[in-house]
Amino acid sequence: MRCAKHLPAFIGGGQTVCAYMPIGSEPGSAELVDSLLRRGVRVLLPVVRHDEAGLRVPMQWGEYHPGGLVEAPFGLREPAEPWLPAAAIASATVVLVPALAGRQDRGCGWGAAPGFYDRSLPLAAPTARLVAVVRDDELVEPAARPNRTTCG
C-alpha cells in the first residue's frame, strides 16, 4: 500500500499511533496497521459505542495485537477488552483517520458518518499529527467540498 511507504517519514518506532481497521470501501488496510507493528509502533484501534441514551460518545481505544480483533457494532473489528479510556488518544503522536475525500492545502478530510471522530479528535494532543487516509483519486481541489465535513 502506498500510504505505508510514507509512514516512516513521520512515524518512528516507540511511538503510539491511533489507527483503524478499515471496513467496506474505507481506504487503508490491515497491512498498513501491521506494518506499524513491525516498525515497533504501539497501535491503538478505536472502540465505537453509544451511551445509554443512544448518543455517540468519544471512542475508547484498544491495543492492537494480530489475531486479537473481535466483531463489533457497525460491522467493525476491534480489540477485545480491556479498553483504554477515550483520553488515551492523547498519547498518540499520529492519528490516522479514515476519510472519503481530503484537501492537500488545508489537511481536511471528510467522512461518511461524522460523529465518533468529531467527538474524539479534540482529545488528541495538540502536537499530534492528524492524517486523513484517502486514495489518490479522493484528493479534491481547494474549491471542491463534499456535503459533510469533519474539520473546520
Side-chain angles (χ1 to χ4, degrees):
M1 162 163 232
R2 186 173 166 209
C3 183
K5 294 177 188 175
H6 296 285
L7 296 179
F10 56 90
I11 299 174
Q15 293 182 323
T16 296
V17 172
C18 288
Y20 65 94
M21 194 59 67
I23 60 169
S25 62
E26 284 183 329
S29 67
E31 173 55 30
L32 171 66
V33 177
D34 288 339
S35 74
L36 293 169
L37 283 183
R38 286 193 300 272
R39 296 187 54 243
V41 173
R42 178 180 183 225
V43 178
L44 302 180
L45 298 180
V47 175
V48 178
R49 297 290 186 275
H50 288 98
D51 67 10
E52 299 80 26
L55 301 174
R56 294 178 179 127
V57 295
M59 296 180 289
Q60 293 176 288
W61 299 90
E63 194 156 346
Y64 173 62
H65 300 285
L69 298 180
V70 297
E71 297 298 317
F74 313 107
L76 299 174
R77 292 178 299 148
E78 60 190 27
E81 295 185 63
W83 298 321
L84 301 169
I89 192 173
S91 68
T93 54
V94 175
V95 180
L96 301 178
V97 182
L100 298 178
R103 284 176 42 175
Q104 287 182 310
D105 66 323
R106 283 186 54 208
C108 293
W110 294 276
F116 292 105
Y117 276 96
D118 291 342
R119 286 162 178 77
S120 300
L121 292 177
L123 302 174
T127 56
R129 181 174 282 187
L130 306 179
V131 178
V133 179
V134 298
R135 294 179 186 83
D136 289 343
D137 62 345
E138 295 169 336
L139 288 173
V140 296
E141 295 299 319
R145 184 174 177 195
N147 291 335
R148 300 176 85 174
T149 183
T150 58
C151 60

